[in-house]
Amino acid sequence: TNNLSLYGVVSRRPEQREIIIKEQGCKVFNSVEDCLSDPSVHVIVVASSNNTHASIALQALKAKKHVIVEKPIALNVADALEMERVAKENKVVLTAFQNRRWDGDFITLQKLIKENKLGSQLQWIEMSWRKYGVTVSKPWKQDTTANGGGRFWDFASHLLDQLLIITSPSRITSIYCTLSYTFPTLPNTDTHALLIVKFDTSLTAVINTSSHTFHDKPHYLVCGDSATYIREGFDPQEQSMIKGDIEAYGESEMGVGVLKSVGGNEVVTQMRGEWWRFYANVAEVLEGKSELCVKPSEVIRVLKVIEFALQSAQTGKVIETDL
């Protein structure tokens, strides 16, 4: 991204430090403290395990560094509010990497809603992210309860962020969630999750995540009062990035959506994703040229929903709220 460059990476593992120097050609710090003491460091990106996000971010904010935190911004609302307070106190930027606001299929969905292609009122929304398997290379990702690992924390953070954007300014009136833990060898890893969110507009939203299914549901199923939109598959930017070039994917990899109504079916071409816009926005904010796209208050609202969802899953009760 223009005006932002990778200056250094923190790693305590000698073998990892060698790889970073070889592949990135940047400085390597042995500790967070060493990194924060370097006056050439202006922005800290916290991409550690979820249970360390808050503590590392608070260190950086208190050192008057701008901070980008991988989602979720924290594992509880209290920590996130403290991060927001310290950022304001030290006059530095705090944001979370909610890159999937710039998924091509989500940009497409927003355009359809804005153009009233589904009607004047949304009635029912289903969002799904279901795969088979868990991340074995990072053990912390296998612990939902203590480390914020598992599919629910990983993808509900994204799907809820998208949901709250397209339903704004509606208020949430109730939250219900059920989580199952059925991996024989991973008792603390969620296998399936179902989250139901009701709004003051009579809209109901259902979010479903899974690490133990061989067949996915539509990524989006959105019902308005005059049409239904169905989107199968996922935005291709991540897979393209893993292969070495985030922009290298073709139209065939983008897939399509279908808009169904009494007038028939309309194939909807997906717009290209724009993950690059996140860091471009951060750069513009630091230069005083733009307003922050992903605001702390927005990701804290997402975290509040997750916190209520976990409470609901633990008690088996519907949580009434005004959120």
Side-chain angles (χ1 to χ4, degrees), residues 42-297:
H42 303 290
V43 182
I44 300 292
V45 178
V46 181
S48 53
S49 58
N50 290 351
N51 61 321
T52 65
H53 286 182
S55 59
I56 294 174
L58 282 167
Q59 273 186 274
L61 293 168
K62 289 174 181 177
K64 300 187 186 302
K65 307 290 187 182
H66 305 292
V67 175
I68 298 167
V69 188
E70 177 60 74
K71 57 75 198 164
I73 194 169
L75 292 188
N76 61 72
V77 173
D79 282 348
L81 289 171
E82 176 65 5
M83 292 159 65
E84 183 184 37
R85 184 193 68 78
V86 174
K88 288 179 179 177
E89 183 180 90
N90 288 286
K91 297 181 173 59
V92 290
V93 172
L94 170 66
T95 187
F97 188 54
Q98 292 287 0
N99 57 313
R100 293 196 177 274
R101 292 189 182 192
W102 292 275
D103 276 2
D105 47 16
F106 182 60
I107 296 171
T108 303
L109 174 59
Q110 287 179 286
K111 184 173 183 288
L112 292 173
I113 294 171
K114 184 177 180 180
E115 294 175 350
N116 291 323
K117 294 289 188 178
L118 290 94
S120 60
Q121 185 177 21
L122 298 179
Q123 299 177 337
W124 187 275
I125 298 173
E126 292 188 25
M127 295 176 156
S128 176
W129 206 298
R130 293 152 50 91
K131 300 283 185 181
Y132 181 82
V134 296
T135 304
V136 295
S137 61
K138 297 179 179 179
W140 70 264
K141 284 199 169 188
Q142 300 170 17
D143 193 327
T144 303
T145 51
N147 296 332
R151 188 79 64 185
F152 182 70
W153 270 108
D154 201 3
F155 289 108
S157 298
H158 282 307
L159 297 177
L160 278 169
D161 187 61
Q162 293 180 348
L163 176 66
L164 297 184
I165 288 171
I166 60 176
T167 57
S168 178
S170 301
R171 304 287 294 176
I172 295 171
T173 57
S174 70
I175 295 166
Y176 174 77
C177 181
T178 181
L179 288 166
S180 64
Y181 299 82
T182 54
F183 282 119
T185 57
L186 300 171
N188 295 321
T189 303
D190 61 284
T191 43
H192 306 280
L194 183 71
L195 170 61
I196 301 173
V197 182
K198 289 184 176 290
F199 293 84
D200 59 4
T201 58
S202 299
L203 167 70
T204 297
V206 179
I207 288 177
N208 182 205
T209 63
S210 175
S211 293
H212 205 241
T213 182
F214 293 96
H215 184 75
D216 202 6
K217 293 179 176 180
H219 184 37
Y220 300 136
L221 189 150
V222 184
C223 302
D225 53 16
S226 64
T228 296
Y229 178 65
I230 301 169
R231 158 66 173 167
E232 305 273 1
F234 302 101
D235 179 274
Q237 289 177 97
E238 182 175 18
Q239 292 306 312
S240 188
M241 179 180 66
I242 291 170
K243 293 175 183 176
D245 185 352
I246 194 170
E247 296 291 339
Y249 63 91
E251 191 172 318
S252 61
E253 296 167 90
M254 293 164 62
V256 296
V258 180
L259 190 64
K260 298 187 175 185
S261 68
V262 292
N265 298 345
E266 176 187 344
V267 175
V268 179
T269 301
Q270 300 301 288
M271 301 176 70
R272 288 191 72 83
E274 300 175 331
W275 283 11
W276 60 268
R277 287 195 180 276
F278 175 84
Y279 276 100
N281 171 250
V282 171
E284 290 174 355
V285 170
L286 297 180
E287 293 169 349
K289 297 178 180 178
S290 185
E291 182 180 329
L292 192 63
C293 285
V294 183
K295 300 175 179 62
S297 59

